[in-house]
Amino acid sequence: MRELRKRALPALMVVMLVMTMTACDNTVKKAAERLSEIADTLGEVQSVTIDAYDGALISQEAHDQILRATLRANEAGKAATAVLAGLEESGIKDLDLDTKQKLLKYSVVISDSLDPENLSAIANIQDPDVRNKIKTALATARAILVTLDALLAF
Amino acid sequence: MKTEQILALINLVSKYGPRIIGLVLKIKDDRGDEQTIDLLEEAGAKFDANIAQAKAALGEQ
């Protein structure tokens, strides 16, 4: 048993180190993937909104409110991307606590911007197809955000 | 599993562990960073395009 203990500790440390390195690498990459997906859905919300306004399907108020919300969300997403890019440029490959906290703050801004309660104009859109398209895309962006938050929690 | 077998397994991990770490580091240097940078550049470009589109639609600079 003494021999077992003597040899088990370094072996265990090696296994844990490999697992940690792999997990950290995946976390940065996955965070970048999530941000890219959020950018896609925000772009979709904007396109649907602009098309609907051009086709006189939604009011100026709804158009402006939704686009201002996506503008805030996009700016927070861009800032979050810049934080990750800064890490890469510095040669730091792991997400430390400070970085995670910064990213979570941007995540809160994105989530609040896309919160249906803060977008009252959507409820007033008469066309059900347009209303559902915008609501679905916003919900998708927020769902992706939940997976990003889960990554940052560890 | 007998103690001897466990010891043999631990010996293997101890012996080859550092080599595995070296391999993981090499893979990270060769692929991981580049892929992550590409992903970040792609995401940043999408956010920029969205911001420009939203500002244009709102009549802002």
PDB file of all heavy atoms in Angstrom, chain A residues 42-44 46-47 50 67, chain B residues 48-58:
ATOM      1  N   LEU A  42     -28.617  37.583 -33.642  1.00  0.00           N
ATOM      2  CA  LEU A  42     -28.874  39.026 -33.560  1.00  0.00           C
ATOM      3  C   LEU A  42     -29.006  39.620 -34.971  1.00  0.00           C
ATOM      4  O   LEU A  42     -29.854  40.482 -35.219  1.00  0.00           O
ATOM      5  CB  LEU A  42     -27.758  39.733 -32.790  1.00  0.00           C
ATOM      6  CG  LEU A  42     -27.696  39.458 -31.285  1.00  0.00           C
ATOM      7  CD1 LEU A  42     -26.476  40.117 -30.657  1.00  0.00           C
ATOM      8  CD2 LEU A  42     -28.961  39.954 -30.591  1.00  0.00           C
ATOM      9  N   GLY A  43     -28.166  39.148 -35.885  1.00  0.00           N
ATOM     10  CA  GLY A  43     -28.248  39.590 -37.276  1.00  0.00           C
ATOM     11  C   GLY A  43     -29.592  39.224 -37.881  1.00  0.00           C
ATOM     12  O   GLY A  43     -30.175  39.998 -38.648  1.00  0.00           O
ATOM     13  N   GLU A  44     -30.092  38.043 -37.509  1.00  0.00           N
ATOM     14  CA  GLU A  44     -31.390  37.596 -38.017  1.00  0.00           C
ATOM     15  C   GLU A  44     -32.523  38.481 -37.498  1.00  0.00           C
ATOM     16  O   GLU A  44     -33.429  38.870 -38.240  1.00  0.00           O
ATOM     17  CB  GLU A  44     -31.619  36.145 -37.583  1.00  0.00           C
ATOM     18  CG  GLU A  44     -32.708  35.453 -38.353  1.00  0.00           C
ATOM     19  CD  GLU A  44     -32.904  34.014 -37.889  1.00  0.00           C
ATOM     20  OE1 GLU A  44     -31.920  33.379 -37.503  1.00  0.00           O
ATOM     21  OE2 GLU A  44     -34.061  33.580 -37.906  1.00  0.00           O
ATOM     22  N   GLN A  46     -32.299  41.559 -36.619  1.00  0.00           N
ATOM     23  CA  GLN A  46     -32.215  42.857 -37.300  1.00  0.00           C
ATOM     24  C   GLN A  46     -32.785  42.793 -38.721  1.00  0.00           C
ATOM     25  O   GLN A  46     -33.540  43.670 -39.120  1.00  0.00           O
ATOM     26  CB  GLN A  46     -30.748  43.311 -37.351  1.00  0.00           C
ATOM     27  CG  GLN A  46     -30.226  43.707 -35.989  1.00  0.00           C
ATOM     28  CD  GLN A  46     -28.782  44.181 -36.003  1.00  0.00           C
ATOM     29  OE1 GLN A  46     -28.201  44.400 -34.961  1.00  0.00           O
ATOM     30  NE2 GLN A  46     -28.193  44.342 -37.186  1.00  0.00           N
ATOM     31  N   SER A  47     -32.412  41.733 -39.449  1.00  0.00           N
ATOM     32  CA  SER A  47     -32.884  41.615 -40.834  1.00  0.00           C
ATOM     33  C   SER A  47     -34.399  41.515 -40.893  1.00  0.00           C
ATOM     34  O   SER A  47     -35.052  42.192 -41.703  1.00  0.00           O
ATOM     35  CB  SER A  47     -32.271  40.382 -41.501  1.00  0.00           C
ATOM     36  OG  SER A  47     -30.891  40.540 -41.598  1.00  0.00           O
ATOM     37  N   ILE A  50     -35.906  44.973 -39.989  1.00  0.00           N
ATOM     38  CA  ILE A  50     -35.752  45.984 -41.046  1.00  0.00           C
ATOM     39  C   ILE A  50     -36.690  45.669 -42.225  1.00  0.00           C
ATOM     40  O   ILE A  50     -37.370  46.554 -42.750  1.00  0.00           O
ATOM     41  CB  ILE A  50     -34.271  46.067 -41.512  1.00  0.00           C
ATOM     42  CG1 ILE A  50     -33.421  46.646 -40.380  1.00  0.00           C
ATOM     43  CG2 ILE A  50     -34.135  46.922 -42.763  1.00  0.00           C
ATOM     44  CD1 ILE A  50     -31.921  46.479 -40.567  1.00  0.00           C
ATOM     45  N   LEU A  67     -34.090  47.453 -32.703  1.00  0.00           N
ATOM     46  CA  LEU A  67     -32.729  47.694 -33.207  1.00  0.00           C
ATOM     47  C   LEU A  67     -31.815  48.289 -32.147  1.00  0.00           C
ATOM     48  O   LEU A  67     -30.620  47.964 -32.097  1.00  0.00           O
ATOM     49  CB  LEU A  67     -32.780  48.597 -34.449  1.00  0.00           C
ATOM     50  CG  LEU A  67     -33.299  47.894 -35.709  1.00  0.00           C
ATOM     51  CD1 LEU A  67     -33.366  48.855 -36.879  1.00  0.00           C
ATOM     52  CD2 LEU A  67     -32.425  46.708 -36.092  1.00  0.00           C
TER      53      LEU A  67
ATOM     54  N   ASP B  48     -19.550  43.476 -35.626  1.00  0.00           N
ATOM     55  CA  ASP B  48     -19.307  44.762 -36.295  1.00  0.00           C
ATOM     56  C   ASP B  48     -20.339  45.012 -37.393  1.00  0.00           C
ATOM     57  O   ASP B  48     -20.865  46.120 -37.525  1.00  0.00           O
ATOM     58  CB  ASP B  48     -17.891  44.787 -36.900  1.00  0.00           C
ATOM     59  CG  ASP B  48     -16.834  45.113 -35.854  1.00  0.00           C
ATOM     60  OD1 ASP B  48     -17.195  45.717 -34.820  1.00  0.00           O
ATOM     61  OD2 ASP B  48     -15.662  44.764 -36.062  1.00  0.00           O
ATOM     62  N   ALA B  49     -20.587  43.964 -38.203  1.00  0.00           N
ATOM     63  CA  ALA B  49     -21.545  44.098 -39.305  1.00  0.00           C
ATOM     64  C   ALA B  49     -22.941  44.388 -38.756  1.00  0.00           C
ATOM     65  O   ALA B  49     -23.677  45.232 -39.291  1.00  0.00           O
ATOM     66  CB  ALA B  49     -21.559  42.816 -40.140  1.00  0.00           C
ATOM     67  N   ASN B  50     -23.318  43.695 -37.666  1.00  0.00           N
ATOM     68  CA  ASN B  50     -24.634  43.932 -37.054  1.00  0.00           C
ATOM     69  C   ASN B  50     -24.747  45.358 -36.530  1.00  0.00           C
ATOM     70  O   ASN B  50     -25.789  45.999 -36.682  1.00  0.00           O
ATOM     71  CB  ASN B  50     -24.846  42.955 -35.888  1.00  0.00           C
ATOM     72  CG  ASN B  50     -25.125  41.539 -36.356  1.00  0.00           C
ATOM     73  OD1 ASN B  50     -25.399  41.312 -37.533  1.00  0.00           O
ATOM     74  ND2 ASN B  50     -25.053  40.580 -35.451  1.00  0.00           N
ATOM     75  N   ILE B  51     -23.677  45.815 -35.868  1.00  0.00           N
ATOM     76  CA  ILE B  51     -23.684  47.182 -35.307  1.00  0.00           C
ATOM     77  C   ILE B  51     -23.857  48.206 -36.433  1.00  0.00           C
ATOM     78  O   ILE B  51     -24.657  49.136 -36.325  1.00  0.00           O
ATOM     79  CB  ILE B  51     -22.380  47.437 -34.506  1.00  0.00           C
ATOM     80  CG1 ILE B  51     -22.408  46.621 -33.204  1.00  0.00           C
ATOM     81  CG2 ILE B  51     -22.214  48.923 -34.188  1.00  0.00           C
ATOM     82  CD1 ILE B  51     -21.070  46.544 -32.474  1.00  0.00           C
ATOM     83  N   ALA B  52     -23.119  48.001 -37.515  1.00  0.00           N
ATOM     84  CA  ALA B  52     -23.207  48.929 -38.655  1.00  0.00           C
ATOM     85  C   ALA B  52     -24.616  48.910 -39.250  1.00  0.00           C
ATOM     86  O   ALA B  52     -25.184  49.969 -39.567  1.00  0.00           O
ATOM     87  CB  ALA B  52     -22.181  48.539 -39.719  1.00  0.00           C
ATOM     88  N   GLN B  53     -25.204  47.710 -39.341  1.00  0.00           N
ATOM     89  CA  GLN B  53     -26.553  47.582 -39.913  1.00  0.00           C
ATOM     90  C   GLN B  53     -27.586  48.283 -39.024  1.00  0.00           C
ATOM     91  O   GLN B  53     -28.452  49.019 -39.516  1.00  0.00           O
ATOM     92  CB  GLN B  53     -26.914  46.098 -40.052  1.00  0.00           C
ATOM     93  CG  GLN B  53     -28.246  45.881 -40.770  1.00  0.00           C
ATOM     94  CD  GLN B  53     -28.651  44.416 -40.791  1.00  0.00           C
ATOM     95  OE1 GLN B  53     -28.484  43.704 -39.798  1.00  0.00           O
ATOM     96  NE2 GLN B  53     -29.170  43.956 -41.917  1.00  0.00           N
ATOM     97  N   ALA B  54     -27.487  48.044 -37.714  1.00  0.00           N
ATOM     98  CA  ALA B  54     -28.449  48.649 -36.780  1.00  0.00           C
ATOM     99  C   ALA B  54     -28.330  50.167 -36.791  1.00  0.00           C
ATOM    100  O   ALA B  54     -29.348  50.880 -36.819  1.00  0.00           O
ATOM    101  CB  ALA B  54     -28.223  48.099 -35.374  1.00  0.00           C
ATOM    102  N   LYS B  55     -27.092  50.664 -36.777  1.00  0.00           N
ATOM    103  CA  LYS B  55     -26.891  52.122 -36.773  1.00  0.00           C
ATOM    104  C   LYS B  55     -27.427  52.752 -38.063  1.00  0.00           C
ATOM    105  O   LYS B  55     -28.031  53.824 -38.029  1.00  0.00           O
ATOM    106  CB  LYS B  55     -25.404  52.445 -36.590  1.00  0.00           C
ATOM    107  CG  LYS B  55     -24.946  52.302 -35.148  1.00  0.00           C
ATOM    108  CD  LYS B  55     -23.528  52.781 -34.971  1.00  0.00           C
ATOM    109  CE  LYS B  55     -23.132  52.742 -33.503  1.00  0.00           C
ATOM    110  NZ  LYS B  55     -21.733  53.147 -33.290  1.00  0.00           N
ATOM    111  N   ALA B  56     -27.165  52.083 -39.176  1.00  0.00           N
ATOM    112  CA  ALA B  56     -27.653  52.606 -40.459  1.00  0.00           C
ATOM    113  C   ALA B  56     -29.174  52.658 -40.472  1.00  0.00           C
ATOM    114  O   ALA B  56     -29.776  53.645 -40.914  1.00  0.00           O
ATOM    115  CB  ALA B  56     -27.142  51.735 -41.604  1.00  0.00           C
ATOM    116  N   ALA B  57     -29.807  51.596 -39.959  1.00  0.00           N
ATOM    117  CA  ALA B  57     -31.279  51.544 -39.942  1.00  0.00           C
ATOM    118  C   ALA B  57     -31.863  52.592 -38.996  1.00  0.00           C
ATOM    119  O   ALA B  57     -32.967  53.097 -39.212  1.00  0.00           O
ATOM    120  CB  ALA B  57     -31.748  50.156 -39.534  1.00  0.00           C
ATOM    121  N   LEU B  58     -31.118  52.914 -37.947  1.00  0.00           N
ATOM    122  CA  LEU B  58     -31.591  53.931 -36.990  1.00  0.00           C
ATOM    123  C   LEU B  58     -31.175  55.337 -37.410  1.00  0.00           C
ATOM    124  O   LEU B  58     -31.484  56.318 -36.725  1.00  0.00           O
ATOM    125  CB  LEU B  58     -31.024  53.629 -35.591  1.00  0.00           C
ATOM    126  CG  LEU B  58     -31.611  52.401 -34.883  1.00  0.00           C
ATOM    127  CD1 LEU B  58     -30.740  51.998 -33.706  1.00  0.00           C
ATOM    128  CD2 LEU B  58     -33.034  52.678 -34.428  1.00  0.00           C
TER     129      LEU B  58
END
